[in-house]
Every structure is written in structure tokens, then in C-alpha cells.
Amino acid sequence: MEKIAIEDEFHDIIGKAMTGLRITERELSQKSGVPFDTVRELIRGTLDETSLPKVAPVLGLDPNALLRIALGT
């Protein structure tokens, strides 16, 4: 089966989920327990493999799927 390329990067997915839920960076930090600066870096596209799975459930996203997208697997 041929793989279909996904247009969105992990940070695009995070941003769209935040927009849809109307959640701010600060709220995401507080609800996930991830430091604000780290949340901001995730949104900018800097991968932190420990923090990404912590923010995913707050956004209604599957942590493992989001991490696989981030890692390109």
C-alpha cells in the first residue's frame, strides 16, 4: 500500500487543535504540566519527545500518533 503524505507537521496539528479548542499557550502549559517556554517551542516546531505526549491529551489528540507524525514514522 502506498503511503499518503500528510501536509501538516506536528506543530501545525497542535496549533489547529488549540484554535479549535480556544486554548492559549499558557492554558496548555498549565493543563499539561509542560513549562510555558517548552509549549511555545513545540508550537514553533521544536520537537521535545518528552513534552509532546503530555500536551496531546489536553488537545484531544492521541499522544502516540502525534509523536509518530513528529518523528516521521
Side-chain angles (χ1 to χ4, degrees):
M1 177 180 263
E2 184 178 336
K3 289 186 178 183
I4 299 172
I6 297 176
E7 291 182 24
D8 290 336
E9 300 291 331
F10 77 91
H11 54 92
D12 298 320
I13 296 167
I14 291 171
K16 288 177 181 179
M18 288 175 64
T19 299
L21 294 171
R22 296 182 180 174
I23 188 170
T24 66
E25 294 173 356
R26 180 92 40 217
E27 291 170 321
L28 183 56
S29 172
Q30 292 169 344
K31 291 180 179 186
S32 66
V34 173
F36 177 77
D37 290 338
T38 304
V39 166
R40 185 167 270 177
E41 288 302 312
L42 285 171
I43 294 166
R44 291 179 179 160
T46 302
L47 177 58
D48 181 323
E49 292 182 42
T50 303
S51 299
L52 188 62
K54 293 178 183 176
V55 301
V58 175
L59 299 171
L61 302 171
D62 180 283
N64 294 321
L66 188 58
L67 189 56
R68 283 194 304 271
I69 290 168
L71 296 172
T73 59

